[in-house]
Amino acid sequence: MGNICTAKRRKNSGQQRSNLTTEQSNNSRQQRSNLTTEQSNNSRQQRSNLKTKQIKPSEKCYDPQDRTLTFVNGEDEMDFLCNDYKSLRAKMSCGHAVTPMSLTDWCRRLLDQGKWRFVCGHCDAEWSFEEVRKMALLTPEEVEEFEKKTFVNAAPNLKVKECPGCKSRVMRTDLDDLSVICKVCTAKRKNTYIFCWQCLREWKGPVLCTDYCDNDGCQSPLGILKTCGDVVLKGVMDARGCPLKCPSTRACPTCGMLVGHDGTLCKNVVCRQCKVEFCFVCLKTTEECQKLNPGTWFRVCSSGVAPRQTSIPVWQHR
């Protein structure tokens, strides 16, 4: 009987040791599995963090060995946001000190405000785009961004438009000539390429005719002024107390932009291009008109109705 009990105890003991070993083994495998999973997750997270750090743009700094730059000691005079950029300071052509980042910030701010010229934030000296590109260390992406914004901002000023042939930006030098030569298309085609500034199509007809081309629907600004109908200014009275009548389209006396009047409200309109308000009746600026005819917002001017215009004023940029 004692032997049987002893055998049972040995058997139970062996079973317990087996169960314990199996449980320990399972726990060990689970721990190793959890450790491996945790290490793998940590590794992936580290790689992700490293990748994030790598693609994060770094601060642009001048090369201290660049002999084309004039380095100076002192504060960054274009750092209006107080970002305290770490780069060396270099002088712009106007003499004020900048860093690449502060100059980029300032020029981007000008473009966001609708400007197309780059001017110093202290002395209003104008910088060329070539100077800005070099001193701001603009990346290819930033160059493209600045060029697009400059074009969009400058286009309404009748100085820059897209060539219909190659979509490059073209500046018109003679504001009295609608026939414009694109140098890019001319070089590619090995033949002079001319497009019409008015209808933005390849020029048709004699080049000597500078105020319109022969494309269908192309009418020169002067042609519009000569042939437009009349508009009745319902709220503006003449000397007899009748609604005033005048040409429905006028060229802004400041910049030459064609402006219409819908016949309602007073006789003054604001040019959408130069933002100058002028009298649609006498074609003087509102300020000049009101000096000569105080309070005549809804009455004819002392000089009467200006005749149809036969020339277009040219905006003289200061």
Side-chain angles (χ1 to χ4, degrees):
M1 187 69 178
N3 292 336
I4 294 175
C5 292
T6 302
K8 285 183 178 181
R9 283 197 298 269
R10 289 177 178 173
K11 182 178 182 181
N12 290 337
S13 177
Q15 183 65 41
Q16 289 173 351
R17 286 196 302 272
S18 175
N19 292 339
L20 180 60
T21 303
T22 301
E23 182 178 356
Q24 290 174 337
S25 177
N26 291 336
N27 289 339
S28 178
R29 280 197 296 270
Q30 184 63 42
Q31 290 172 350
R32 286 197 300 271
S33 176
N34 292 340
L35 180 60
T36 302
T37 302
E38 184 178 356
Q39 290 174 336
S40 177
N41 291 337
N42 289 339
S43 179
R44 281 196 294 270
Q45 185 63 43
Q46 289 172 353
R47 288 197 298 271
S48 176
N49 292 339
L50 180 60
K51 185 177 181 181
T52 301
K53 291 180 181 179
Q54 287 174 341
I55 65 174
K56 183 179 179 180
S58 59
E59 180 179 329
K60 295 183 290 187
C61 294
Y62 289 130
D63 179 2
Q65 304 301 320
D66 190 343
R67 297 180 179 274
T68 65
L69 302 178
T70 302
F71 295 114
V72 294
N73 295 322
E75 65 180 51
D76 181 356
E77 295 178 280
M78 292 299 137
D79 185 15
F80 299 113
L81 300 178
C82 300
N83 287 313
D84 191 25
Y85 293 121
K86 305 306 178 185
S87 173
L88 293 171
R89 279 65 169 144
K91 282 203 306 185
M92 298 292 289
S93 57
C94 62
H96 287 102
V98 301
T99 59
M101 296 297 293
S102 68
L103 182 58
T104 301
D105 292 343
W106 171 246
C107 291
R108 183 175 279 121
R109 177 182 174 186
L110 291 175
L111 293 174
D112 289 342
Q113 291 175 347
K115 308 293 177 55
W116 68 91
R117 296 184 303 123
F118 300 105
V119 296
C120 176
H122 288 280
C123 64
D124 291 329
E126 185 170 354
W127 305 316
S128 68
F129 182 62
E130 288 72 21
E131 181 180 10
V132 169
R133 181 169 54 187
K134 173 187 176 183
M135 299 298 293
L137 301 181
L138 295 182
T139 65
E141 293 77 16
E142 287 172 333
V143 170
E144 183 178 2
E145 173 198 349
F146 278 37
E147 286 181 339
K148 285 183 178 180
K149 286 184 177 179
T150 301
F151 168 68
V152 171
N153 294 346
N157 298 287
L158 299 179
K159 300 176 89 173
V160 180
K161 287 188 177 181
E162 273 191 359
C163 167
C166 64
K167 304 303 180 184
S168 64
R169 296 159 182 79
V170 180
M171 180 176 290
R172 182 168 62 149
T173 55
D174 185 355
L175 298 183
D176 294 322
D177 190 352
L178 292 178
S179 61
V180 181
I181 298 176
C182 174
K183 296 180 179 180
V184 176
C185 287
T186 297
K188 287 182 178 179
R189 303 182 182 203
K190 297 182 179 179
N191 190 26
T192 303
Y193 179 82
I194 304 175
F195 70 92
C196 176
W197 196 262
Q198 179 71 17
C199 68
L200 291 180
R201 287 176 285 178
E202 186 172 1
W203 185 271
K204 285 186 179 181
V207 179
L208 294 178
C209 180
T210 60
D211 58 347
Y212 67 92
C213 73
D214 288 343
N215 280 305
D216 293 338
C218 182
Q219 190 176 14
S220 70
L222 277 178
I224 294 174
L225 293 175
K226 292 176 183 177
T227 61
C228 70
D230 291 333
V231 63
V232 176
L233 305 182
K234 300 174 184 178
V236 184
M237 301 297 140
D238 61 15
R240 298 173 299 173
C242 299
L244 203 63
K245 181 189 293 185
C246 66
S248 62
T249 303
R250 298 289 206 179
C252 171
T254 299
C255 69
M257 183 77 176
L258 297 191
V259 181
H261 199 302
D262 63 2
T264 63
L265 302 178
C266 73
K267 62 185 180 180
N268 298 285
V269 295
V270 177
C271 176
R272 65 181 183 275
Q273 175 172 274
C274 66
K275 312 302 181 186
V276 174
E277 183 177 337
F278 69 94
C279 175
F280 209 75
V281 176
C282 69
L283 293 180
K284 294 181 176 62
T285 65
T286 298
E287 183 180 2
E288 293 171 335
C289 178
Q290 287 301 308
K291 283 182 179 179
L292 295 172
N293 314 283
T296 59
W297 303 95
F298 295 93
R299 297 198 306 275
V300 67
C301 312
S302 59
S303 58
V305 179
R308 288 179 181 270
Q309 294 156 291
T310 58
S311 63
I312 296 179
V314 176
W315 192 359
Q316 300 296 332
H317 296 278
R318 295 181 180 180

